[in-house]
Amino acid sequence: MKKVICVVEDEKAINDLVNQYLKKEGYEVRSYYTYEEASAHVGDDDVHLWILDIMLDDKSGFDLIEEIRLQRKDIPVIFMSARDKEFDRIIGLEKGSDDYITKPFSPKELVLRVNNVMKRVYRNDNNRIMVDGYELDEEQRKVFDGGKEIDLTTKEFDLLMMFIKNKGMAFNREAILTNVWEENYYGSDRVVDDTLRRLRKKLPNLNIHTIYGYGYRLG
């Protein structure tokens, strides 16, 4: 899932350049050229970062960050400005910005600053895996579908992770028992089919194939 960055800059050439470099880095970018355009989207709940120019027509990025903070207190904000003044930096920090970059700047430097902020703020997201439209947090052992958590049992989650970590590899029931239930399991191997049936019911879009006469494969 791509992280969304909103860029607010009234100089089209700069806005387009920032947009280009951030998209190349793998982000989804939304460009706004006026205060009013950006103000209409401060409540968007799928945005991960705002990059704000300080000077915006008759208002400023300082005004805009106040609007953003009223809607979402924790979303990171980076200011960019042609004015290299310590006063502006201090105001930016007081308003709750996460970084400040002075024009003219290297687009590569901006990308590095963006990456650093993203890693710091969304570090727990690095544990998440996407598979067939589902989002998995391996560390917290949680599965989400469109933001809604899906309740899995311990063995259902273990079975799912085994397939994900070995995507494209076929497993027979004995191998699955060894990997998920471990060697000290003495019950029927039908427990594999039963657990997989429940997993498929809870995650209907999961692309697990049945290999008749052998076993199962993800992807």
Side-chain angles (χ1 to χ4, degrees):
M1 184 182 299
K2 290 185 177 182
K3 286 187 166 54
V4 178
I5 298 176
C6 290
V7 178
V8 188
E9 165 61 64
D10 56 5
E11 292 187 45
K12 189 175 186 306
I14 296 177
N15 199 320
D16 291 350
L17 185 64
V18 171
N19 188 313
Q20 174 188 339
Y21 272 81
L22 291 175
K23 281 184 176 177
K24 192 181 297 182
E25 192 69 12
Y27 296 107
E28 178 183 331
V29 185
R30 299 171 187 170
S31 292
Y32 304 114
Y33 300 93
T34 68
Y35 180 96
E36 294 303 324
E37 282 180 356
S39 178
H41 294 275
V42 294
D44 291 356
D45 59 7
D46 60 343
V47 178
H48 295 86
L49 172 72
W50 286 84
I51 298 176
L52 309 179
D53 185 24
I54 290 181
M55 301 302 294
L56 295 169
D57 40 84
D58 59 337
K59 290 195 174 182
S60 74
F62 295 145
D63 297 313
L64 194 55
I65 194 176
E66 290 182 357
E67 285 195 42
I68 292 169
R69 288 286 178 252
L70 286 174
Q71 298 289 330
R72 300 180 60 191
K73 296 183 182 299
D74 300 326
I75 190 167
V77 175
I78 295 176
F79 278 122
M80 53 184 181
S81 174
R83 305 187 306 183
D84 185 15
K85 295 181 179 178
E86 186 176 354
F87 180 69
D88 285 341
R89 292 175 183 270
I90 292 172
I91 291 179
L93 291 171
E94 288 178 343
K95 297 285 187 182
S97 70
D98 295 79
D99 206 346
Y100 184 109
I101 189 167
T102 304
K103 302 177 190 175
F105 54 80
S106 162
K108 291 183 179 180
E109 180 187 355
L110 178 62
V111 168
L112 286 173
R113 288 173 181 259
V114 166
N115 287 342
N116 287 338
V117 170
M118 288 292 201
K119 287 175 184 176
R120 184 175 72 248
V121 176
Y122 300 105
R123 58 184 178 274
N124 291 333
D125 286 2
N126 295 331
N127 298 319
R128 295 202 169 185
I129 304 165
M130 295 298 298
V131 58
D132 295 336
Y134 301 106
E135 189 174 9
L136 290 83
D137 189 321
E138 185 178 5
E139 187 174 292
Q140 296 188 22
R141 296 178 64 84
K142 292 181 177 181
V143 181
F144 301 90
D145 182 9
K148 181 180 178 181
E149 185 177 350
I150 299 171
D151 186 27
L152 298 184
T153 66
T154 298
K155 290 305 180 187
E156 288 167 357
F157 190 88
D158 290 343
L159 180 60
L160 176 60
M161 288 308 304
M162 185 209 75
F163 279 119
I164 289 173
K165 290 184 176 182
N166 299 278
K167 191 171 183 180
M169 184 180 296
F171 289 88
N172 59 27
R173 290 186 184 89
E174 184 179 349
I176 294 173
L177 281 173
T178 300
N179 278 278
V180 178
W181 279 266
E182 301 180 350
E183 294 180 358
N184 59 356
Y185 179 78
Y186 296 106
S188 168
D189 64 1
R190 302 305 297 180
V191 69
V192 172
D193 301 316
D194 293 339
T195 305
L196 185 57
R197 186 179 64 253
R198 295 197 307 269
L199 186 62
R200 281 170 160 167
K201 186 175 181 180
K202 292 179 180 181
L203 306 176
N205 296 325
L206 196 62
N207 193 25
I208 292 182
H209 298 279
T210 299
I211 304 172
Y212 292 100
Y214 184 78
Y216 304 97
R217 182 188 73 242
L218 175 65

